[in-house]
Amino acid sequence: MESALTARDRVGVQDFVLLENHTSEVAFIENLRKRFKENLIYTYIGSVLVSMNPYKELEIYTKQHMERYRGVNFYEVSPHIYAVADNAYRSMRTERRDQCILISGESGAGKTEASKKVLQYYAVTCPASEHVQTVKDRLLQSNPVLEAFGNAKTLRNDNSSRFGKYMDIQFDFKGAPVGGHIINYLLEKSRVVHQSHGERNFHIFYQLIEGGEDDLLRRLGLEKNAQQYQYLVKGNCPKVSSINDRNDWKIMRKALSIIGFTDDELLNIIASVLHLGNVQYGGEDSGSAYITTETQIKYLARLLGVDGTVLKEALTHKKIIAKGEELMSPLNQEQAASARDALSKAIYGRTFTWLVNKINDSLAFKNASVIGLLDIYGFEVFQNNSFEQFCINYCNEKLQQLFIELTLKSEQEEYEAEGITWEPVQYFNNKIICDLVEEKFKGIISILDEECLRPGDASDITFLEKLEDTVGGHAHFLTHKLADGKTRKVMGREEFRLIHYAGEVNYNVNGQLLNGGQRLKIKKPKESASLNKSGHLCPQIFSQAEPTQFKNSLAKLMEILMSKEPSYVRCIKPNDAKQAGRFDEVLIRHQVKYLGLMENLRVRRAGFAYRRRYETFLQRYKSLCPDTWPNWDGRLVDGVSTLVKYLGYKPEEYKLGRTKIFIRFPKTLFATEDALEVRKHSLGMSYSQKTKYRKMRQSAVKIQAWWRGILARREAKRRREAANTIRRFVKGFIYRHQPRCPENEYFLDYVRYSFLMKLHRSLPKTVLDKSWPTPPPALIEASEQLRKLCMQNMVWKYCKNINSEWKHQVSHYILFYFILFCFLFCVLLGISVSSLSDGMFVLHVACEDNKQKGDVVLQSEHVIETLTKVAICADKMNSININQGRSVVDTKLFFFKIKLKFQGRLL
């Protein structure tokens, strides 16, 4: 608050409680606009943090920022998510009471990022050990796993959480995070089978298709093409520029291994959902459906571990229980497709729950203090609002009720503790709407359950008619049938309207029975496709009436939140285009209304805008009164009383409690703050301030001198080392012809290194290349050895690379020359080879008379191989004269190597 007062003129106020016109929605939004334009995305409403999504990276989440907020009073620094996290942590440590941080807002408002920042803050600032570090890693790595299986690309957000999450972070007595527990709510299972245009299914499907290894995809029966799967083509958005599915797959698999997943059972289930989507039906003349894609059934039976016949029957028939007798009734094509989709949603929903339970098992810890994190959908209104949106808005209705009750409760408790009289605040009590939804026997959820479970042909329309009969007279309920003529024009015949605390919402009943209470059932001992708590396949798939389940889980969530000390983060998205710097006032006004921010501000301002403990208030403003400056020696309450009387506070402007002063109007506080700013200038020239200034100046001079000395010593050391290096090099050059000694070892090592690097860059490329760099004296012998090894290596590589076809040709040539010289064996005197690369060679033979033609001149494309064979056969290894600069030793060695290579392979 104090920092907010200092900066109020530049960027509005950092706490909406200090808005002079606190009842004006226009003033509220204008304050948001001012701060947003300055990249100040956080603002308080008392202890509530309002967060605007900047849609860009801001340098406000570094480790230095974390240290700045660590252990600091909530109002001493500017608003930040770290301040909320640190305040909850310190309250847990000092008051020994569990805390919770409730994060809410629309899709794309930054809820998931806010929860990540809280987790990162605790991971960095809390005490750590080897075990604690493992827990921290698992807590952080749970995010990419849950995002892969629970997030999706929507029109509003490329990484939108399609489920609600409550996470308990568990701390030991030292304040170190030692465990955690996650509860998931409202997974948007309808996304598994259908996506709006421009949206995608859950990330995991695309990650598996794009990033999965070939062997894995082959085992799962999948192809690397998302367009091949019916559940991935509905939104016509297989790829997104801002999402790297292949890289996210690697991150997700690594996170799974850190958490403790070791098998691919999870991926079997995910693949089975894709195969289910490709199950197609045909229709018989009788109208009964039958499956036309047997391949998919085979894959499903293997991946899920079920009997294919049982699975086909479950996908084409429904079970009817009449008078205790079970009857199987065939489904038509439309009903069968609905059953298939319902099974897919049930499998994915239970898989997600199983995944969360596995994560919980890896984080389990008992007897710990807790800070809870609730990341859940905000109140939203779409053009078509389904059963799932009905549940989301109902959840927010309950949270708003809790929010107002806890806010009022905390205000009332503080006033009672301080002995301050406070008149009750009038506010909209949405209990009437909550009762309309959840009341036993008469609420919407009870009616939906009853319609789902009753025998007969229940449908979405019969459910709507039942609503009209039961709650048709309720002030917050309306249908097309019950509406007046004007309202009927904007309402469909299959819709009902609820008037929520945040506005009117029309819900479409199409799919309510399917989503709310599915009657799909596969039941056969030891064969199934569902997951139980232990992670194994259990004997049945049965999606019970979900509204009651959700109502019960929501009631448990309310109990959890009521048992903890709450902190609130309200997230707002500035525009639907995800553009940085764009401020859509109409959109923001809707969110301010849906989040109940004006209601919260009104409750907070119903009493007093500012309250501070006496010691804090006196310490800040004591310089404004001669009687309290520089120190007050009496009771704190008397010092504050003396100070406010001197400042001219009127009785209606403030109240003094037992430990705090309460100031009703912001203008009173602003006037006091302005007087403090003026006083600071006069205090700056006082003797104490001059003394302090001199001390600070002397300290600064000492620090500067010390730092200059460090820089000078560093530079001197660098120059000294450079000079020593040059001296060693010059001295080594002088002693370069002497035996190795301390004076020349640096130079000799450098020369050797240079020779070896030069040799590395200019090695001969062929056997005929005789170039070789001149070695230094110390490396002459070693250089000669290297040269020979290089030549041998090139010969070996040359011979090794002869392919089978070339060998076949050579064998024919050598066969010819072998026959030719069989009769010349005794008369062969020697062989000469041309120095050119023309393949010419001469066979020198003995001539007994003049009738003989003499030496034979021949040509061969493979002269080396030919002569080698001839020399071996004639035992004339020393009779070959190759006039190309090769020494006798090299020639013998060369033919010896060739002999070894070709021995026994040539005819």
Side-chain angles (χ1 to χ4, degrees):
M1 184 80 76
E2 280 66 30
S3 61
L5 295 171
T6 304
R8 73 182 190 280
D9 295 328
R10 183 172 65 89
V11 282
V13 294
Q14 296 182 356
D15 192 330
F16 282 108
V17 174
L18 299 180
L19 272 178
E20 194 65 46
N21 190 4
H22 70 279
T23 60
S24 170
E25 190 178 76
V26 175
F28 188 99
I29 294 176
E30 184 59 29
N31 190 59
L32 276 178
R33 185 201 305 274
K34 286 181 181 179
R35 297 180 59 76
F36 181 71
K37 293 300 181 184
E38 294 290 331
N39 289 325
L40 299 172
I41 63 171
Y42 295 118
T43 312
Y44 288 137
I45 304 178
S47 60
V48 177
L49 180 68
V50 179
S51 171
M52 294 276 285
N53 191 342
Y55 288 120
K56 62 181 179 182
E57 294 292 331
L58 298 178
E59 295 297 325
I60 58 174
Y61 302 108
T62 63
K63 188 174 181 180
Q64 289 75 16
H65 280 83
M66 293 183 184
E67 292 299 329
R68 179 187 174 195
Y69 286 88
R70 186 178 182 180
V72 179
N73 185 280
F74 189 70
Y75 293 114
E76 289 181 8
V77 285
S78 56
H80 201 290
I81 188 70
Y82 291 160
V84 176
D86 186 76
N87 188 62
Y89 179 76
R90 286 189 292 113
S91 298
M92 177 199 69
R93 297 276 289 144
T94 57
E95 300 174 10
R96 295 296 176 184
R97 182 178 179 185
D98 291 346
Q99 306 287 312
C100 64
I101 301 175
L102 283 69
I103 304 173
S104 61
E106 285 192 11
S107 176
K111 302 185 299 298
T112 301
E113 286 301 314
S115 63
K116 286 182 183 178
K117 299 304 181 189
V118 174
L119 283 175
Q120 290 169 359
Y121 180 81
Y122 293 144
V124 172
T125 60
C126 293
S129 64
E130 184 175 347
H131 169 71
V132 169
Q133 190 59 47
T134 301
V135 173
K136 286 181 178 180
D137 291 341
R138 288 178 176 176
L139 281 171
L140 293 176
Q141 293 302 324
S142 66
N143 276 320
V145 174
L146 293 177
E147 286 183 8
F149 287 84
N151 289 21
K153 190 269 183 189
T154 67
L155 295 176
R156 301 186 175 190
N157 185 2
D158 289 348
N159 188 32
S160 176
S161 296
R162 308 317 299 162
F163 71 105
K165 178 179 69 176
Y166 176 79
M167 171 186 282
D168 272 335
I169 309 170
Q170 300 166 335
F171 299 84
D172 63 11
F173 69 97
K174 297 179 182 179
V178 291
H181 187 270
I182 300 171
I183 304 174
N184 62 293
Y185 301 93
L186 293 172
L187 178 68
E188 189 187 25
K189 289 179 290 187
S190 62
R191 182 168 295 273
V192 174
V193 301
H194 178 76
Q195 310 89 43
S196 300
H197 184 76
E199 297 192 351
R200 299 209 309 175
N201 211 319
F202 293 100
H203 292 325
I204 183 60
F205 294 111
Y206 306 93
Q207 292 176 7
L208 176 60
I209 294 297
E210 289 294 324
E213 299 78 7
D214 292 338
D215 291 342
L216 174 63
L217 294 179
R218 194 179 302 111
R219 181 177 66 79
L220 298 176
L222 301 178
E223 300 179 27
K224 270 188 177 294
N225 185 1
Q227 301 288 352
Q228 296 295 322
Y229 303 98
Q230 295 300 313
Y231 284 164
L232 304 184
V233 299
K234 302 294 181 65
N236 194 25
C237 189
K239 294 185 181 295
V240 182
S241 60
S242 63
I243 299 176
N244 188 331
D245 293 310
R246 186 169 299 179
N247 186 59
D248 291 344
W249 166 260
K250 296 178 181 177
I251 296 174
M252 189 275 300
R253 289 298 295 270
K254 180 181 178 181
L256 283 176
S257 65
I258 292 175
I259 294 173
F261 287 85
T262 57
D263 54 40
D264 291 329
E265 184 177 12
L266 185 61
L267 300 179
N268 288 354
I269 304 298
I270 299 304
S272 71
V273 173
L274 294 177
H275 286 300
L276 263 175
N278 284 0
V279 171
Q280 301 297 320
Y281 294 94
E284 298 177 350
D285 295 339
S286 61
S288 301
Y290 63 91
I291 294 175
T292 60
T293 50
E294 291 293 332
T295 303
Q296 305 300 330
I297 297 298
K298 293 179 181 178
Y299 278 125
L300 286 168
R302 178 171 58 83
L303 292 173
L304 296 176
V306 300
D307 183 88
T309 304
V310 177
L311 180 62
K312 287 176 63 176
E313 184 181 56
L315 291 172
T316 55
H317 292 74
K318 64 179 178 180
K319 182 175 294 185
I320 301 174
I321 301 176
K323 298 181 180 180
E325 183 179 357
E326 293 185 354
L327 300 175
M328 298 300 295
S329 174
L331 301 173
N332 59 34
Q333 282 185 261
E334 182 179 355
Q335 292 171 333
S338 297
R340 174 201 63 201
D341 292 345
L343 177 59
S344 300
K345 290 186 291 184
I347 290 176
Y348 193 85
R350 294 196 175 194
T351 302
F352 188 77
T353 301
W354 173 80
L355 176 66
V356 171
N357 291 336
K358 287 280 288 184
I359 294 175
N360 288 337
D361 292 341
S362 72
L363 297 173
F365 190 85
K366 296 182 179 180
N367 302 323
S369 299
V370 166
I371 295 179
L373 273 177
L374 179 64
D375 173 6
I376 202 162
Y377 303 105
F379 189 96
E380 292 181 315
V381 181
F382 298 97
Q383 185 173 0
N384 183 34
N385 300 285
S386 64
F387 168 77
E388 287 168 334
Q389 195 60 42
F390 167 78
C391 291
I392 290 168
N393 290 347
Y394 162 54
C395 178
N396 277 271
E397 197 80 54
K398 294 290 289 184
L399 288 174
Q400 175 68 8
Q401 182 184 27
L402 177 70
F403 177 54
I404 295 298
E405 286 181 357
L406 291 180
T407 303
L408 288 172
K409 180 183 177 183
S410 62
E411 287 286 300
Q412 184 66 41
E413 288 178 348
E414 184 173 24
Y415 292 138
E416 290 178 355
E418 293 293 326
I420 303 295
T421 302
W422 184 51
E423 296 180 1
V425 179
Q426 297 298 321
Y427 67 97
F428 173 68
N429 189 345
N430 58 347
K431 183 178 184 300
I432 185 174
I433 303 174
C434 295
D435 289 343
L436 171 63
V437 174
E438 66 187 11
E439 191 175 5
K440 283 187 176 182
F441 307 118
K442 295 188 296 183
I444 294 174
I445 289 179
S446 294
I447 297 171
L448 179 58
D449 281 344
E450 181 181 342
E451 197 68 10
C452 288
L453 298 175
R454 76 172 176 84
D457 294 329
S459 67
D460 298 323
I461 298 303
T462 61
F463 165 61
L464 183 61
E465 292 172 350
K466 188 71 173 291
L467 284 179
E468 291 172 340
D469 294 339
T470 308
V471 297
H474 199 284
H476 290 264
F477 177 85
L478 194 65
T479 65
H480 183 277
K481 178 180 178 180
L482 300 175
D484 55 30
K486 183 178 180 180
T487 305
R488 288 180 179 179
K489 294 180 181 180
V490 295
M491 280 191 69
R493 295 182 181 276
E494 298 175 343
E495 292 181 337
F496 67 89
R497 174 179 295 179
L498 290 185
I499 305 174
H500 291 278
Y501 78 94
E504 300 175 348
V505 184
N506 293 343
Y507 297 102
N508 197 311
V509 298
N510 284 337
Q512 294 278 24
L513 290 186
L514 180 62
N515 289 304
Q518 188 52 242
R519 299 181 177 187
L520 174 68
K521 190 172 185 180
I522 300 177
K523 187 174 182 181
K524 184 175 181 181
K526 299 181 182 180
E527 293 180 351
S528 163
S530 180
L531 293 170
N532 60 21
K533 291 183 179 180
S534 63
H536 298 291
L537 299 178
C538 66
Q540 61 179 2
I541 295 178
F542 179 52
S543 179
Q544 298 174 349
E546 293 183 1
T548 298
Q549 292 180 354
F550 172 67
K551 183 178 73 172
N552 294 338
S553 63
L554 185 57
K556 292 179 181 178
L557 175 63
M558 294 299 115
E559 292 179 7
I560 293 172
L561 299 180
M562 287 291 288
S563 67
K564 294 175 172 57
E565 190 71 28
S567 300
Y568 301 94
V569 179
R570 300 301 205 205
C571 298
I572 297 177
K573 63 177 179 181
N575 60 79
D576 275 329
K578 310 167 193 172
Q579 294 181 0
R582 179 178 170 183
F583 190 92
D584 188 338
E585 185 173 330
V586 174
L587 178 64
I588 291 172
R589 182 178 291 110
H590 281 296
Q591 293 174 82
V592 168
K593 181 179 181 182
Y594 293 161
L595 293 171
L597 299 184
M598 293 301 298
E599 188 84 357
N600 178 34
L601 177 57
R602 195 168 67 84
V603 169
R604 186 67 170 76
R605 279 292 302 271
F608 299 87
Y610 178 89
R611 71 283 308 271
R612 279 295 176 272
R613 298 187 70 85
Y614 289 142
E615 56 268 32
T616 304
F617 185 83
L618 193 59
Q619 180 65 30
R620 183 170 180 83
Y621 299 112
K622 64 181 180 180
S623 61
L624 298 178
C625 175
D627 295 332
T628 57
W629 177 255
N631 293 302
W632 175 261
D633 296 329
R635 294 193 311 160
L636 292 175
V637 64
D638 296 335
V640 172
S641 179
T642 301
L643 175 58
V644 297
K645 287 179 181 178
Y646 179 83
L647 294 174
Y649 281 18
K650 297 178 181 178
E652 65 272 15
E653 292 180 339
Y654 74 100
K655 293 288 184 182
L656 296 179
R658 295 186 177 93
T659 63
K660 297 179 182 179
I661 178 174
F662 293 80
I663 298 177
R664 188 177 297 276
F665 307 115
K667 63 180 180 180
T668 305
L669 186 63
F670 290 156
T672 306
E673 192 67 21
D674 292 338
L676 178 61
E677 290 296 320
V678 175
R679 179 63 173 161
K680 284 180 180 179
H681 292 289
S682 61
L683 291 176
M685 299 303 295
S686 65
Y687 176 79
S688 60
Q689 293 298 317
K690 287 181 180 180
T691 303
K692 183 178 180 180
Y693 169 77
R694 291 192 189 101
K695 290 182 179 180
M696 292 177 67
R697 187 176 184 277
Q698 291 173 359
S699 300
V701 171
K702 289 181 180 179
I703 293 173
Q704 290 170 356
W706 174 75
W707 181 245
R708 289 193 188 100
I710 288 180
L711 294 179
R713 285 189 289 274
R714 287 179 181 174
E715 180 65 13
K717 181 180 179 182
R718 187 184 66 81
R719 293 187 177 186
R720 188 164 52 249
E721 291 174 351
N724 290 336
T725 301
I726 295 172
R727 288 193 191 99
R728 291 171 63 191
F729 190 88
V730 173
K731 197 170 184 179
F733 179 80
I734 295 172
Y735 287 88
R736 66 188 183 279
H737 297 303
Q738 302 296 325
R740 185 178 182 87
C741 60
E743 286 77 14
N744 64 8
E745 62 180 359
Y746 179 83
F747 180 80
L748 293 179
D749 290 341
Y750 176 80
V751 170
R752 291 174 178 175
Y753 173 80
S754 300
F755 169 75
L756 292 174
M757 292 304 296
K758 181 180 179 181
L759 179 61
H760 173 70
R761 292 190 294 269
S762 57
L763 283 172
K765 301 296 189 297
T766 66
V767 176
L768 301 179
D769 186 0
K770 302 303 180 183
S771 61
W772 193 265
T774 304
L779 289 179
I780 292 176
E781 183 178 353
S783 173
E784 184 64 15
Q785 294 296 328
L786 286 174
R787 188 182 66 80
K788 291 181 179 180
L789 289 174
C790 179
M791 289 299 176
Q792 292 175 15
N793 185 52
M794 285 191 292
V795 170
W796 181 82
K797 286 185 177 178
Y798 179 78
C799 297
K800 183 179 179 181
N801 291 332
I802 298 176
N803 57 40
S804 59
E805 181 181 357
W806 192 86
K807 289 180 180 179
H808 182 69
Q809 294 176 358
V810 171
S811 65
H812 283 78
Y813 280 113
I814 295 180
L815 177 61
F816 166 75
Y817 289 114
F818 177 76
I819 296 172
L820 175 64
F821 286 103
C822 280
F823 68 90
L824 294 176
F825 177 79
C826 297
V827 296
L828 179 64
L829 298 179
I831 304 173
S832 296
V833 182
S834 171
S835 61
L836 302 177
S837 300
D838 52 10
M840 301 291 293
F841 63 95
V842 178
L843 304 178
H844 301 288
V845 298
C847 297
E848 297 179 355
D849 54 48
N850 294 331
K851 294 181 180 181
Q852 293 186 8
K853 295 182 179 180
D855 295 343
V856 181
V857 180
L858 298 172
Q859 184 182 19
S860 173
E861 293 181 359
H862 309 287
V863 64
I864 300 298
E865 292 78 358
T866 303
L867 296 183
T868 300
K869 184 61 178 180
V870 171
I872 292 172
C873 295
D875 195 18
K876 301 291 185 178
M877 288 294 294
N878 297 322
S879 300
I880 300 177
N881 177 25
I882 301 177
N883 185 20
Q884 293 188 5
R886 181 185 299 276
S887 67
V888 176
V889 176
D890 291 339
T891 303
K892 289 182 177 180
L893 178 62
F894 178 76
F895 282 107
F896 177 69
K897 293 297 183 180
I898 294 181
K899 178 180 179 181
L900 292 179
K901 182 67 179 180
F902 287 87
Q903 188 74 38
R905 299 187 183 180
L906 301 176
L907 293 177

